[in-house]
Amino acid sequence: MNAIADLFDLSGQAAVVTGASSGIGAGIARLLGRAGADVVVNYRSSEHGARAVVKELEDAGGRAIPVQADVSKEEDVARLFEEARRAFGTVHILVANAGLQRDAPAHEMSLEDWRTVIDVNLTGQYLACREAIREFRRRGMVPETCPALGKIVSISSVHQFIPWAGRVNYAASKGGIMLMMQSLAQEYAHEKIRVNGIAPGAVKTNINKSSWEDPEAERALLDLVPYGRVGEPDDIAQAALWLACDASDYVTGETIVVDGGMALYPGFREGG
Ligand code: BGC
């Protein structure tokens, strides 16, 4: 192994990735596994997708297990971590990724659609972070494996700071995630738990398929992306790998925006 690969070496460390049966979560699970981590591939409904990610990791010589759990349910999240402990002994890394959208104009949005998005995106990340922190503290420091007690990567969105009409529930959940991530980072840094976020822009996954699947929609989307392409799950996974590994050991409470420039107010290139 060369020195650069050493920087990203996660062998001996176990990771839980929520919402890992497809999209960004699957991309992150694959890359952490390729870096040597044991991976818990969490899914809510797509067992098929989760098993495909697990198989890919096993075929490459890694260790991975699929675990069904709805992150918005306290008992499911407790079980997710129990199964992680049973399989791999402990957890060093949580990637809190599971999320969804239920779009509607604010005046027409049902309370159910508001609650579902807050419950999964925000409360779901909180429950997973709480369980991860409990596990990090239970295990205690093992400096030979990892200089941190534990590492959390919270997958947010550019909509943690860009308002988004028609998605008040989603933007509120992502804004909440940002301050939750920073507050947890502040609360646990002295225990050597690092908590960071990634704010993806437009990434080709099922959540936004209608915005890129036909060329006209994709053109309209690209008006918002100065870098001129829609992101891929690997664009996010590569940032997640850096935050999860020990090359970023001095980084906590930070958000990496991975968006092809979407947050640079592209309309101002010619306007303003
Ligand atoms: C949303 C996508 C959207 C992107 C950029 C993401 O957080 O889930 O639907 O394309 O932000 O607006």
Side-chain angles (χ1 to χ4, degrees), residues 101 157-159 164 170 200-202 207-208 262:
Q101 285 182 226
S157 165
V158 290
H159 300 296
W164 206 12
Y170 185 81
I207 208 171
N208 59 359
M262 187 177 235

Short mmCIF file of all heavy atoms in Angstrom, two decimals, residues 101 157-159 164 170 200-202 207-208 262, ligand 1:
data_model
loop_
_atom_site.label_atom_id
_atom_site.label_comp_id
_atom_site.label_asym_id
_atom_site.label_seq_id
_atom_site.Cartn_x
_atom_site.Cartn_y
_atom_site.Cartn_z
N GLN A 101 -38.08 13.38 0.04
CA GLN A 101 -38.84 14.60 -0.25
C GLN A 101 -40.32 14.27 -0.38
O GLN A 101 -40.67 13.19 -0.88
CB GLN A 101 -38.38 15.22 -1.58
CG GLN A 101 -37.06 15.92 -1.51
CD GLN A 101 -36.65 16.56 -2.85
OE1 GLN A 101 -35.52 16.42 -3.27
NE2 GLN A 101 -37.58 17.25 -3.52
N SER A 157 -27.83 19.11 2.47
CA SER A 157 -28.20 19.56 1.12
C SER A 157 -27.81 21.03 1.01
O SER A 157 -27.71 21.73 2.03
CB SER A 157 -29.72 19.44 0.95
OG SER A 157 -30.14 20.17 -0.19
N VAL A 158 -27.65 21.51 -0.23
CA VAL A 158 -27.52 22.96 -0.38
C VAL A 158 -28.74 23.67 0.20
O VAL A 158 -28.67 24.86 0.53
CB VAL A 158 -27.32 23.40 -1.87
CG1 VAL A 158 -25.96 22.98 -2.38
CG2 VAL A 158 -28.44 22.87 -2.76
N HIS A 159 -29.84 22.95 0.35
CA HIS A 159 -31.05 23.56 0.92
C HIS A 159 -30.99 23.66 2.44
O HIS A 159 -31.99 23.95 3.07
CB HIS A 159 -32.29 22.83 0.42
CG HIS A 159 -32.39 22.91 -1.07
ND1 HIS A 159 -32.56 24.10 -1.74
CD2 HIS A 159 -32.22 21.97 -2.03
CE1 HIS A 159 -32.53 23.89 -3.04
NE2 HIS A 159 -32.32 22.59 -3.26
N TRP A 164 -36.16 26.94 -0.50
CA TRP A 164 -36.67 26.17 -1.64
C TRP A 164 -38.19 26.14 -1.63
O TRP A 164 -38.80 25.39 -0.84
CB TRP A 164 -36.11 24.74 -1.60
CG TRP A 164 -36.04 24.09 -2.95
CD1 TRP A 164 -36.19 24.69 -4.16
CD2 TRP A 164 -35.77 22.71 -3.22
NE1 TRP A 164 -36.03 23.77 -5.17
CE2 TRP A 164 -35.77 22.56 -4.63
CE3 TRP A 164 -35.54 21.59 -2.42
CZ2 TRP A 164 -35.56 21.32 -5.24
CZ3 TRP A 164 -35.32 20.37 -3.03
CH2 TRP A 164 -35.33 20.24 -4.43
N TYR A 170 -38.80 20.04 3.43
CA TYR A 170 -37.44 19.55 3.13
C TYR A 170 -36.38 20.57 3.54
O TYR A 170 -35.40 20.24 4.23
CB TYR A 170 -37.35 19.26 1.62
CG TYR A 170 -36.05 18.62 1.19
CD1 TYR A 170 -35.84 17.26 1.34
CD2 TYR A 170 -35.04 19.39 0.60
CE1 TYR A 170 -34.64 16.66 0.94
CE2 TYR A 170 -33.86 18.81 0.19
CZ TYR A 170 -33.65 17.45 0.36
OH TYR A 170 -32.48 16.87 -0.06
N PRO A 200 -24.83 18.32 -0.55
CA PRO A 200 -24.84 18.06 -1.99
C PRO A 200 -25.77 19.02 -2.72
O PRO A 200 -26.79 19.45 -2.17
CB PRO A 200 -25.38 16.62 -2.11
CG PRO A 200 -25.35 16.05 -0.72
CD PRO A 200 -25.48 17.23 0.20
N GLY A 201 -25.43 19.31 -3.96
CA GLY A 201 -26.36 20.01 -4.85
C GLY A 201 -27.16 18.98 -5.61
O GLY A 201 -27.62 17.99 -5.03
N ALA A 202 -27.34 19.19 -6.91
CA ALA A 202 -28.14 18.26 -7.72
C ALA A 202 -27.30 17.04 -8.07
O ALA A 202 -26.27 17.15 -8.75
CB ALA A 202 -28.61 18.96 -8.98
N ILE A 207 -34.33 10.63 -6.03
CA ILE A 207 -35.06 11.71 -5.34
C ILE A 207 -35.39 12.86 -6.30
O ILE A 207 -36.39 13.54 -6.12
CB ILE A 207 -34.26 12.21 -4.10
CG1 ILE A 207 -35.20 12.78 -3.02
CG2 ILE A 207 -33.22 13.25 -4.47
CD1 ILE A 207 -34.52 13.10 -1.69
N ASN A 208 -34.54 13.07 -7.31
CA ASN A 208 -34.77 14.22 -8.21
C ASN A 208 -34.82 13.79 -9.69
O ASN A 208 -34.54 14.58 -10.58
CB ASN A 208 -33.67 15.27 -8.00
CG ASN A 208 -32.29 14.70 -8.26
OD1 ASN A 208 -32.16 13.52 -8.56
ND2 ASN A 208 -31.27 15.53 -8.16
N MET A 262 -23.53 25.34 -7.51
CA MET A 262 -24.94 25.74 -7.41
C MET A 262 -25.17 26.84 -6.36
O MET A 262 -26.02 27.71 -6.53
CB MET A 262 -25.76 24.49 -7.04
CG MET A 262 -27.24 24.69 -7.06
SD MET A 262 -28.04 23.09 -6.70
CE MET A 262 -29.10 22.93 -8.11
C1 BGC B 1 -32.62 17.62 -3.45
C2 BGC B 1 -32.69 17.46 -4.95
C3 BGC B 1 -32.25 18.74 -5.66
C4 BGC B 1 -30.95 19.28 -5.09
C5 BGC B 1 -30.59 20.63 -5.64
C6 BGC B 1 -31.25 18.10 -3.08
O1 BGC B 1 -31.11 18.20 -1.70
O2 BGC B 1 -32.94 16.39 -2.83
O3 BGC B 1 -34.02 17.12 -5.35
O4 BGC B 1 -32.08 18.48 -7.04
O5 BGC B 1 -31.03 19.36 -3.68
O6 BGC B 1 -31.65 21.53 -5.63
#
